[in-house]
DNA sequence: TTGATGTTTCTGTATTGACAGAAACTAATG
DNA sequence: CATTAGTTTCTGTCAATACAGAAACATCAA
C-alpha cells in the first residue's frame, strides 16, 4: 500500500506527537495508518507501507492491542491476521483517555492516598501535609469527573464542550 | 536539605510520572521538590537534596522556567539565585495544561488544517478526507473548550467538575 | 508428514536522551 | 583589578529504548 502525500504527513506527524507524549513512534504511526486506511491490514503490509521491520510491527501491534485500540479480524480467503482500528475519532479519543487514566493517573492517586495514610506523614511539616492532601484532592476530583465524562455519548460530550465557559451561568442560579 | 520519607516518595513518584508523560525525570523531581518545600531554594541545595549533578539542575531549571512553572527570587544576604514554584496546586495544574496545549496540541491542529487546505487533499479517498476533517474538528473543539475552562477560576472549575455527568440534565431542557 | 506460509521471540546493534564533571564564563566584592 | 562565588556551556560516558534481522515456532494444506 502506497501512501499519498497527505496520508503520509498525517502518519508521520502522529508519530512525532506520540513521541512527545511518551508513546513509541512506530506504535502511533501504525495506529494512524490503520485509522486512515479504514480497513483491516495484515502486519506485513503495515511493515511495508511504513518501511519498518516486520518484528517491529508485531511488537507494536501487541502494544496497540493492550491499549484496546485495534482488533484482530480476518478476511475471506486470507489466512493472515488483519488488524483494524475504529474510524470513529470520538471512540478512539475516549479509549486513549480512559486507558491513560487507568495506567498513569489512577496509580498516582493510590500513591498519594498511601502517603496520606502513612505513619511517616506526621514527620512532615503541616504545610507539606496540606500540599499532598490538596494534590490528592485535585487528582481525585479530576478522576471522578473524567470517569463520568467518559460515560457520556459523544453528542452530549460535544454539547458540553460547545457550552464552554457559559456553563458557569447554569451553575450560579442554583 | 534532607527529605523525610513521605516527601521523598512524593518526589520520586512525580519523577516517574513525568517520564511516562514525556517530561524529563530530573525536571519533574525538581518541580515536585520545590512544590513540597514551599520556599525558594538555590540550585546547589536542589542538587544536593536530589543527589544529581549541579549542571543537571541548571539545565532543568531553565526548562522549568520555559514552562512558566518556577520563578527566580532572591533572599536577603544571599547572592545566589533562588527558585520557587507556586504552592497552589490548581495554578500549577493550569499552567501545565495550558503550556502543553500550546506546544503539543495546537501545532497538530495547524498541521491538520494545512492538510485540509492542501492541493494534495483531492488525491485522497473521500473517506480519508472525512477522517482527517473529523479529527481536526474534535481537536478544535477540545482546544476551544480547554481555553475557556482554563480561564475559569479554580472554585468555578471545581463546581463544574463536581457537577459531573449531571451536567446533561442542565443541557436537555434547553 | 512435509513443505509452505505466516507469526512470535530472541539477540545484537544503533539511536537517543540523560547525566556527570570539567571548563568557560559572568558578576559582585573588597 | 584580582579574587571569590556563582552560573552556564561543553564534552564524553552511560543507560534506556527502539529497532532490524534471524531464528524458532505454529498452522494449514496437500
Amino acid at each position: 500500500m502506497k501512501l499519498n502525500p497527505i496520508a503520509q504527513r498525517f502518519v508521520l506527524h502522529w508519530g512525532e506527537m506520540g513521541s512527545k507524549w511518551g508513546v513509541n513512534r512506530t506504535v502511533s504511526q501504525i495506529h494512524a495508518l490503520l485509522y486512515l486506511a479504514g480497513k483491516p491490514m495484515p502486519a506485513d503490509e503495515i511493515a511495508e507501507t511504513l518501511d519498518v521491520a516486520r518484528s517491529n510491527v508485531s511488537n507494536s501491534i501487541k502494544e496497540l492491542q493492550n491499549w484496546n485500540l485495534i482488533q484482530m479480524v480476518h478476511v475471506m480467503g486470507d489466512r493472515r491476521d488483519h488488524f483494524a482500528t475504529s474510524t470513529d475519532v470520538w471512540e478512539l479519543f475516549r479509549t486513549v483517555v480512559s486507558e491513560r487514566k487507568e495506567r498513569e493517573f489512577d496509580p498516582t492517586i493510590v500513591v498519594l492516598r498511601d502517603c496520606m495514610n502513612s505513619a511517616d506523614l506526621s514527620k512532615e511539616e503541616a504545610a507539606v501535609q496540606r500540599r499532598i492532601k490538596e494534590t490528592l484532592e485535585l487528582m481525585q476530583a479530576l478522576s471522578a469527573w473524567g470517569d463520568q465524562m467518559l460515560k457520556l455519548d459523544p453528542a452530549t460530550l460535544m454539547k458540553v464542550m460547545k457550552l464552554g465557559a457559559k456553563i458557569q451561568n447554569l451553575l450560579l442560579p442554583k
Side-chain angles (χ1 to χ4, degrees), chain A:
Chain A
M1 182 175 170
K2 186 80 175 52
L3 290 182
N4 288 325
I6 295 289
Q8 195 165 121
R9 181 148 184 222
F10 185 94
V11 168
L12 291 178
H13 182 80
W14 220 250
E16 314 260 304
M17 271 306 104
S19 299
K20 298 214 181 186
W21 289 83
V23 178
N24 178 292
R25 201 179 68 234
T26 311
V27 171
S28 345
Q29 283 184 359
I30 292 179
H31 186 253
L33 172 63
L34 290 176
Y35 172 61
L36 285 192
K39 60 162 206 275
M41 287 178 75
D44 48 6
E45 201 177 326
I46 296 173
E48 197 188 357
T49 307
L50 297 179
D51 196 18
V52 296
R54 180 65 188 73
S55 54
N56 191 5
V57 171
S58 175
N59 291 322
S60 301
I61 281 177
K62 213 186 298 171
E63 179 74 0
L64 284 168
Q65 283 175 321
N66 289 339
W67 280 76
N68 273 315
L69 278 172
I70 62 175
Q71 298 79 38
M72 190 194 297
V73 296
H74 288 95
V75 174
M76 269 300 179
D78 195 331
R79 279 169 56 189
R80 297 173 299 178
D81 292 343
H82 287 59
F83 302 92
T85 186
S86 165
T87 53
D88 177 348
V89 70
W90 272 97
E91 188 183 328
L92 293 176
F93 173 67
R94 293 206 292 183
T95 305
V96 169
V97 171
S98 134
E99 292 281 331
R100 268 213 107 125
K101 174 178 178 304
E102 193 175 316
R103 65 184 76 191
E104 289 151 10
F105 198 87
D106 295 349
T108 297
I109 293 183
V110 171
V111 169
L112 291 180
R113 265 198 207 121
D114 229 62
C115 285
M116 290 304 294
N117 294 331
S118 163
D120 287 331
L121 188 66
S122 55
K123 293 197 195 118
E124 304 286 345
E125 298 177 43
V128 170
Q129 297 185 21
R130 192 177 58 245
R131 282 194 278 277
I132 292 177
K133 182 155 163 280
E134 283 169 3
T135 309
L136 174 58
E137 280 166 358
L138 171 56
M139 292 193 68
Q140 277 174 336
L142 279 170
S143 172
W145 174 78
D147 284 340
Q148 294 188 49
M149 289 301 107
L150 285 171
K151 274 190 218 134
L152 300 182
D153 60 296
T156 311
L157 209 43
M158 195 52 146
K159 272 186 209 145
V160 170
M161 296 210 311
K162 282 271 164 60
L163 195 60
K166 283 201 284 290
I167 194 172
Q168 53 188 331
N169 301 334
L170 302 181
L171 229 50
L172 293 175
K174 195 182 158 191

